[in-house]
Amino acid sequence: MARPSIYAAIIGPGTSINPMLRAAQLSAEPSRSVLLMVPWVSAEQQPLIYPEGLTFSSHAEQAEYILQEARKRTGLPCNFSVKFYAGKYYSSFGSIFPVEDIVKLVPREARDVAILEEPEHLCWFQHSSRWSRAFKHVVGILHTNYLAYIRSDAPSGTGFLNTAAVYRVNRWVCRIHCHKNVKLSDAVQSLPHQLSDAVQSLPHQVTCNVHGVAAAFLDIGRAKAAKPPPGQHRFTKGAYFIGKAVWGKGYRELINMGAEYNQVRADPLVLDVIGSGEDLAAIQAAAGQKGLDWRWLGAKDHAEPAMHDYQVFLNPSTSDVVATTTAEALAMGKWAVVPDIACNAFFKQFRNCLLYSDAGGFVSAVDKALLNEPAPMSDEELNKLSWAAATQRLLEVGSMAEGDWPSAAETRYTAALWRMYRSIVGFTALREALGMTSPNDTDEPALDSEDLDEENEEDYEQQQQQQQQQQQAHAAAEAAAGAKRARDNSEAARAARAAAAQKELEEAKQLAGDEADSWDEDFQYRDL
């Protein structure tokens, strides 16, 4: 992955800007060809997920917006391509999910390196193509602590998901689809890449913050590092919190810590709260019940001039993986007061990060931050927060040495696991109930390509493409193909395939014991 010339496909699951910034930085190397793939949602759903007044009527319009936004935020040429896959927003999850097979949208000659942003999110309902088989090297980057969200029932409506079940499913899909899993912090669950399911440090799993902050925040930090004129201060405002107004973004912890502070200090905590969202009214009511007289200023861009003069950023959230807002605040030269937990481990190296482990520590840290100006950010500190440094870290930790690739035993087990998993999530009734069916049938697995030789797979796909063209050209053939898909995807047929896959999976797990070392490295799953 660290070689200069690669074709990298970056697949983002939603509206996060981090995949866009990663594409911008990777494409800064002229020898790299970079493709950013993002979801396209219907005009009816766009107002539910995009800022007010922002909608797109075509792929070309949104692609141009993404490229312009990337150039504005990074100052880089941003010579990457943008391609869209069909997506659908589910309010019960508060997320966008793919509703077609993204793999099939990438030309075979371009399937070199795939970077899956939030691979568990992307692949929960993936049942047609296996990323780790289609691409030479697949790196999954885990951004989100989904288990914490589920436990706290945020976003609203996801409480029906069982935490233990999602924990297991996340491990399965990250094993199935990724050659290497990069956790931004140890706040994310442990993921397996060995045959044992024990929670442990594993060779295909690494913890490293491979995110940076936009160049604008670094520029603010450099400006704030300059010595102010005599009689003036570098910062003129006190403390603030910024985050979307949903409970899962740390508002419960913020309210509780604010109340603790007011109990032990004569002067109450003065705080500006920046953000809007569906839980804002409930959050304000909860703060009022605790006697917290805070200012609620609505949504703002963290980099806008009105934010520059705040001296202290409070972020007591315990559900983050690595909080982008904390990194941005540090880059702007502010104090960051955060709990001493796994999601903030990366920030410990910065002088202006104040950690606490209990309410008393929070009070002390806030007092220190309000009474003392933070140290000016050094060039070394600013560089560590940049996307250039984050990308270099990704190239290093995302690579795999010769001995790190899965063994024949693990490959066999993973293939069996994939057959079982795809049999479950491929149930037509389930997919139709969730609205996961593709608008153009590109997620329909007519045959299991895991049974094909690598040499024959390309011929097979070409034959399938020719067959699809013929089906589109002839209504009768299309109807016949539809009837066949209905038969193949009947619940009875799916159940039979799931039972067979389960049996094969059990055999693979048993054989992965003493006999694993004797297996031929070229042993293929079709021989099971």
Side-chain angles (χ1 to χ4, degrees):
M1 185 177 178
R3 64 188 189 279
S5 180
I6 61 173
Y7 194 112
I10 302 173
I11 298 86
T15 58
S16 169
I17 66 168
N18 288 314
M20 177 188 75
L21 298 178
R22 195 183 318 283
Q25 193 63 51
L26 277 171
S27 65
E29 170 55 57
S31 64
R32 297 191 190 110
S33 296
V34 178
L35 171 66
L36 175 65
M37 303 188 73
V38 294
W40 172 263
V41 298
S42 66
E44 294 76 20
Q45 289 198 323
Q46 288 184 24
L48 301 176
I49 57 177
Y50 296 145
E52 185 175 356
L54 181 64
T55 57
F56 304 99
S57 60
S58 67
H59 288 185
E61 181 185 3
Q62 186 169 353
E64 182 59 27
Y65 175 87
I66 290 171
L67 290 170
Q68 292 297 335
E69 190 70 13
R71 293 179 183 124
K72 181 178 74 173
R73 289 174 178 267
T74 65
L76 297 171
C78 298
N79 296 319
F80 60 87
S81 303
V82 180
K83 195 167 187 174
F84 295 88
Y85 61 86
K88 186 175 181 180
Y89 176 74
Y90 292 82
S91 58
S92 59
F93 290 90
S95 300
I96 302 170
F97 288 99
V99 292
E100 68 176 319
D101 186 355
I102 307 174
V103 172
K104 293 179 181 177
L105 302 178
V106 183
R108 174 173 290 275
E109 63 274 11
R111 296 178 188 176
D112 187 9
V113 175
I115 299 173
L116 304 185
E117 308 278 355
E118 303 195 59
E120 67 278 61
H121 181 153
L122 280 169
C123 300
W124 273 333
F125 300 103
Q126 175 78 2
H127 79 300
S128 182
S129 299
R130 181 153 65 107
W131 285 96
S132 57
R133 182 176 172 88
F135 281 75
K136 297 175 184 176
H137 186 44
V138 182
V139 178
I141 301 177
L142 289 90
H143 302 206
T144 305
N145 190 349
Y146 287 107
L147 302 185
Y149 272 66
I150 293 168
R151 283 193 294 266
S152 64
D153 193 25
S156 178
T158 58
F160 72 94
L161 289 172
N162 181 277
T163 303
V166 173
Y167 171 83
R168 177 66 62 184
V169 168
N170 286 353
R171 295 181 65 163
W172 283 348
V173 297
C174 289
R175 173 194 287 281
I176 289 167
H177 293 286
C178 302
H179 295 113
K180 194 153 193 181
N181 294 297
V182 180
K183 303 192 302 181
L184 297 186
S185 78
D186 284 327
V188 181
Q189 66 182 67
S190 292
L191 296 168
H193 244 303
Q194 295 289 346
L195 293 172
S196 169
D197 279 339
V199 178
Q200 53 185 306
S201 179
L202 301 168
H204 299 294
Q205 169 192 315
V206 64
T207 300
C208 181
N209 179 19
V210 293
H211 281 182
V213 302
F217 295 100
L218 303 175
D219 292 340
I220 296 167
R222 292 188 184 95
K224 283 294 184 181
K227 188 175 181 179
Q232 296 186 19
H233 298 281
R234 292 189 295 120
F235 298 94
T236 58
K237 298 180 180 179
Y240 74 104
F241 173 82
I242 187 169
K244 184 178 180 180
V246 294
W247 285 114
K249 290 297 183 181
Y251 281 91
R252 285 189 179 90
E253 297 95 324
L254 181 69
I255 290 171
N256 290 337
M257 285 298 169
E260 292 283 354
Y261 186 95
N262 288 357
Q263 284 184 1
V264 297
R265 290 289 181 265
D267 295 326
L269 177 63
V270 177
L271 185 70
D272 287 351
V273 182
I274 317 297
S276 61
E278 54 265 36
D279 294 335
L280 179 60
I283 292 168
Q284 290 175 323
Q289 290 174 0
K290 295 278 189 177
L292 302 174
D293 186 18
W294 293 342
R295 294 203 307 167
W296 306 84
L297 303 182
K300 296 181 184 292
D301 189 309
H302 203 182
E304 70 176 65
M307 304 301 299
H308 296 187
D309 288 333
Y310 284 100
Q311 180 165 301
V312 183
F313 172 61
L314 306 183
N315 187 7
S317 173
T318 57
S319 61
D320 288 320
V321 174
V322 171
T324 301
T325 51
T326 299
E328 292 169 349
L330 286 169
M332 290 191 283
K334 307 177 188 299
W335 289 112
V337 178
V338 297
D340 189 3
I341 53 179
C343 64
N344 295 316
F346 176 78
F347 302 127
K348 289 183 179 181
Q349 62 187 303
F350 298 99
R351 295 173 293 171
N352 294 337
C353 179
L354 299 177
L355 297 153
Y356 65 87
S357 56
D358 54 27
F362 174 82
V363 172
S364 298
V366 170
D367 286 346
K368 176 179 178 179
L370 290 173
L371 294 173
N372 301 277
E373 279 201 343
M377 290 290 284
S378 68
D379 289 341
E380 180 183 0
E381 288 176 311
L382 289 171
N383 180 63
K384 289 178 180 178
L385 291 167
S386 70
W387 267 104
T391 301
Q392 185 58 42
R393 293 194 294 267
L394 173 61
L395 294 175
E396 292 171 359
V397 302
S399 299
M400 294 180 70
E402 187 66 29
D404 290 341
W405 290 94
S407 65
E410 186 177 355
T411 300
R412 180 188 182 112
Y413 171 74
T414 301
L417 183 63
W418 165 234
R419 287 175 67 91
M420 183 195 72
Y421 189 78
R422 76 199 298 262
S423 296
I424 296 170
V425 298
F427 273 111
T428 302
L430 171 64
R431 298 183 70 79
E432 288 180 349
L434 293 173
M436 290 291 177
T437 52
S438 168
N440 52 18
D441 288 340
T442 59
D443 72 339
E444 190 62 59
L447 278 176
D448 188 352
S449 62
E450 294 285 345
D451 289 332
L452 299 171
D453 293 326
E454 291 284 355
E455 296 80 7
N456 296 336
E457 188 173 358
E458 185 171 0
D459 293 339
Y460 164 77
E461 290 190 358
Q462 291 175 353
Q463 292 171 6
Q464 291 297 302
Q465 291 172 1
Q466 293 172 1
Q467 186 178 18
Q468 289 175 3
Q469 292 171 358
Q470 293 171 0
Q471 290 170 349
Q472 292 171 357
H474 302 87
E478 183 175 328
K484 181 180 184 301
R485 283 199 300 271
R487 290 195 303 273
D488 288 346
N489 287 289
S490 68
E491 295 205 3
R494 287 283 185 191
R497 285 199 289 272
Q502 176 65 32
K503 181 179 178 181
E504 292 168 334
L505 181 61
E506 293 301 323
E507 292 177 359
K509 290 170 69 176
Q510 292 173 7
L511 291 172
D514 297 336
E515 297 183 32
D517 293 338
S518 64
W519 286 357
D520 188 330
E521 284 295 322
D522 295 328
F523 194 89
Q524 297 295 316
Y525 173 75
R526 64 180 180 277
D527 299 320
L528 195 70

